[in-house]
Amino acid sequence: MAESQEIILAEPRGFCAGVDRAIEIVERALAKFGRPIYVRHEIVHNTYVVNDLKAKGAIFIEELSDVPAGATLVFSAHGVSKAIQDEARQRGFHIFDATCPLVTKVHVEVAKLHREGYEFIMIGHKGHPEVEGTMGQLDSGIHLVEDVEDVARVAPAQTDKLAVVTQTTLSVDDAAEILNAVKARFPSVREPKQQDICYATQNRQDAVKLLSPQVDIVIVVGSPTSSNSNRLRELAVKLGTPGYMVDNADEIQPEWFEGKLRVGLTAGASAPEILVRQVIERIKSLGAISVRTMDGLTETIKFPLPKGLKIEGEDAQPLEHLR
């Protein structure tokens, strides 16, 4: 490996406000009600975070039938369908909703426009829990498109009242291209007042756009199930820089760095900074000498916690977790 190799850290990277809030909800529920706390689906799409919470007493389930009556249940940051919400209430669980407020905003918009008679085209990835949650806000009238080709095939029952909604963690550029195809086919389609792609997704992709031309390789810390992490790697590659995604430092391959003087490093919105630090140490062990952080936005957004999670005798300081 070259003598003068350096690591350049993207800014911003890693945890967003919605992920911070979701993890804190589980940790507070454990502190207040004791173990176990049941969580429907991975609270966020990160292996390290999920394993850390499992060790503290969280049990992750997909089927509500696996949760005993009277238990405390947390909905994951990705959101859930109306059917899941109704079933959870009927089963009498003590429920805390860790759905990201930016996903909830999309759900509220869908409900409001549905009452006004709208059908929807949703831009997103089939099978992703956020997409299932948003589409599951309605019994019918919401049509998924994953790419430009799907737009030609979509068949809404009517086109007078048609609105578009988007998964919050997509590629900003891909979503814009699909939206343009939707508008070309359905010129009167209603767009969201603000784009549905979240600030954290946008900011992390913008940082990779700045980072990629400055480096010879981009490493993204993130789990395979994380949509926003996958998009960061794809974006680097699209910009002509080799990109790899790793769940942890053990997945780093020495041969990736041969002949590469500048290493770009970022992390998806559900990846904790501890993993970034471990990846830095691993790359240093292969010969990197210096680390610097590029200039970038400082995110200050903080979302409030649901009621009922204040811990007796606690001051206003949040619990420390995984930072």
Side-chain angles (χ1 to χ4, degrees):
M1 194 180 258
E3 286 275 307
S4 57
Q5 192 187 46
E6 71 168 342
I7 300 167
I8 303 173
L9 295 174
E11 187 66 39
R13 64 180 180 279
F15 277 1
C16 62
V19 164
D20 249 339
R21 174 179 179 270
I23 296 167
E24 190 161 345
I25 287 169
V26 178
E27 294 195 327
R28 281 173 173 264
L30 283 161
K32 184 158 185 177
F33 305 109
R35 53 202 304 169
I37 297 295
Y38 291 83
V39 184
R40 187 190 177 274
H41 194 70
E42 292 188 345
I43 186 70
V44 299
H45 282 157
N46 184 270
T47 309
Y48 181 96
V49 171
V50 167
N51 288 340
D52 183 76
L53 292 172
K54 276 183 186 170
K56 291 173 180 173
I59 296 175
F60 293 88
I61 53 95
E62 296 296 330
E63 301 300 328
L64 297 186
S65 55
D66 293 335
V67 183
T72 299
L73 175 71
V74 177
F75 293 142
S76 84
H78 313 97
V80 296
S81 68
K82 279 274 186 275
I84 297 283
Q85 291 174 39
D86 293 344
E87 185 189 343
R89 275 196 295 270
Q90 283 161 10
R91 288 179 178 270
F93 303 137
H94 188 199
I95 300 164
F96 291 101
D97 189 354
T99 302
C100 175
L102 299 178
V103 174
T104 301
K105 178 179 83 77
V106 177
H107 291 184
V108 169
E109 179 83 348
V110 165
K112 175 178 160 289
L113 292 178
H114 174 65
R115 287 193 296 272
E116 295 173 22
Y118 277 83
E119 275 191 67
F120 298 87
I121 291 174
M122 176 158 199
I123 302 172
H125 294 298
K126 186 176 173 63
H128 190 279
E130 184 192 327
V131 168
E132 291 178 348
T134 298
M135 293 186 71
Q137 297 305 301
L138 304 180
D139 293 332
S140 62
I142 186 159
H143 312 273
L144 183 65
V145 295
E146 294 194 85
D147 53 33
V148 168
E149 287 70 40
D150 284 347
V151 175
R153 291 190 286 266
V154 72
Q158 51 82 30
T159 56
D160 295 339
K161 286 191 164 187
L162 199 57
V164 69
V165 292
T166 307
Q167 183 181 334
T168 61
T169 55
L170 298 179
S171 155
V172 174
D173 296 333
D174 290 352
E177 189 186 2
I178 298 167
L179 177 60
N180 287 336
V182 171
K183 289 196 289 194
R185 186 168 168 212
F186 305 109
S188 62
V189 72
R190 178 180 172 139
E191 293 178 65
K193 287 186 282 291
Q194 286 175 300
Q195 67 161 16
D196 292 336
I197 288 179
C198 82
Y199 77 92
T201 299
Q202 175 93 52
N203 289 349
R204 280 151 193 70
Q205 289 181 26
D206 287 348
V208 167
K209 285 181 179 179
L210 287 175
L211 178 69
S212 287
Q214 302 177 42
V215 297
D216 304 308
I217 179 175
V218 171
I219 305 293
V220 179
V221 181
S223 290
T225 47
S226 166
S227 171
N228 80 87
S229 302
N230 278 290
R231 305 295 81 78
L232 295 176
R233 188 199 66 78
E234 287 169 7
L235 180 57
V237 172
K238 200 170 180 179
L239 293 167
T241 310
Y244 300 92
M245 193 168 80
V246 296
D247 214 350
N248 56 60
D250 294 340
E251 295 184 358
I252 294 279
Q253 304 295 320
E255 57 270 22
W256 296 345
F257 303 95
E258 285 167 15
K260 307 283 196 287
L261 286 178
R262 290 176 304 278
V263 177
L265 180 57
T266 189
S270 49
E273 187 65 12
I274 187 172
L275 296 182
V276 176
R277 297 292 149 201
Q278 290 168 0
V279 167
I280 289 170
E281 290 312 309
R282 170 78 172 132
I283 299 172
K284 277 183 170 177
S285 77
L286 297 171
I289 290 170
S290 62
V291 182
R292 66 180 170 92
T293 302
M294 65 180 238
D295 291 335
L297 283 173
T298 303
E299 294 171 345
T300 55
I301 290 175
K302 180 105 174 78
F303 294 131
L305 294 165
K307 290 183 175 65
L309 284 176
K310 194 164 170 59
I311 297 159
E312 285 305 310
E314 177 197 41
D315 61 14
Q317 290 302 308
L319 292 180
E320 262 313 304
H321 60 255
L322 301 173
R323 284 197 185 82

